Amino acid sequence: MDNYPLLDIFWTMLELFLWILWFFLLFKIITDIFRSHDMGGGAKAGWTILVILLPFLGVLVYLIVRGGSMHERDVAQAQQADAAFQEYVRKAAGTGGGPAPAGGGHVEDLAKLSELRNSGALSEEEYQRAKDKLLA
């Protein structure tokens, strides 16, 4: 390390960072090519070959031609993932608009029991017995 000045260390770190950034961009573009529904198989193959055989030129051309729509595809995928997660939560909790899952509706039933207990219609021991029966 005696023959490696501090500025060379910084330069090496910058080069490493730029290589990592380059590979991240390359993988992002390849993922975007295969995720894109508005391109056919031939166009996807062409872009992939261009990006792999001429990486710098291919990535720059792809960003110029299709870079603006990459964001739209990312947002659409995030919205689909969020909607799928929300549907899963509704289904798991048994509060969805559709039919309740097998043995479902426990959340709604527990909420009703809690309301009855809070209003005084059920005593604490009646509430506990009904809750235990429901959860059994």
Side-chain angles (χ1 to χ4, degrees):
M1 287 304 282
D2 294 336
N3 296 335
Y4 205 64
L6 184 62
L7 288 178
D8 286 346
I9 292 172
F10 287 137
W11 182 253
T12 303
M13 290 174 60
L14 178 66
E15 287 176 342
L16 180 66
F17 173 74
L18 290 175
W19 272 106
I20 292 171
L21 183 67
W22 169 253
F23 281 115
F24 176 78
L25 181 62
L26 185 65
F27 292 137
K28 176 76 173 158
I29 287 176
I30 290 173
T31 302
D32 187 66
I33 289 171
F34 288 107
R35 184 177 52 195
S36 180
H37 297 293
D38 60 339
M39 281 195 298
K44 289 180 182 183
W47 277 114
T48 304
I49 290 170
L50 181 66
V51 166
I52 290 174
L53 292 181
L54 300 171
F56 291 111
L57 180 64
V59 166
L60 291 176
V61 170
Y62 187 85
L63 288 176
I64 291 169
V65 173
R66 296 185 48 88
S69 60
M70 284 176 68
H71 172 72
E72 296 166 3
R73 285 186 291 280
D74 283 342
V75 169
Q77 182 186 16
Q79 288 173 344
Q80 287 174 348
D82 186 50
F85 176 73
Q86 293 295 332
E87 180 60 30
Y88 170 76
V89 169
R90 280 190 214 95
K91 190 175 185 182
T95 59
H106 292 309
V107 174
E108 293 172 357
D109 294 339
L110 286 172
K112 290 176 187 175
L113 281 175
S114 178
E115 288 175 16
L116 289 172
R117 182 188 61 180
N118 292 340
S119 68
L122 289 177
S123 67
E124 186 63 35
E125 57 249 359
E126 290 172 330
Y127 169 75
Q128 286 300 327
R129 270 187 272 134
K131 184 174 98 170
D132 292 341
K133 183 179 175 183
L134 182 65
L135 295 177

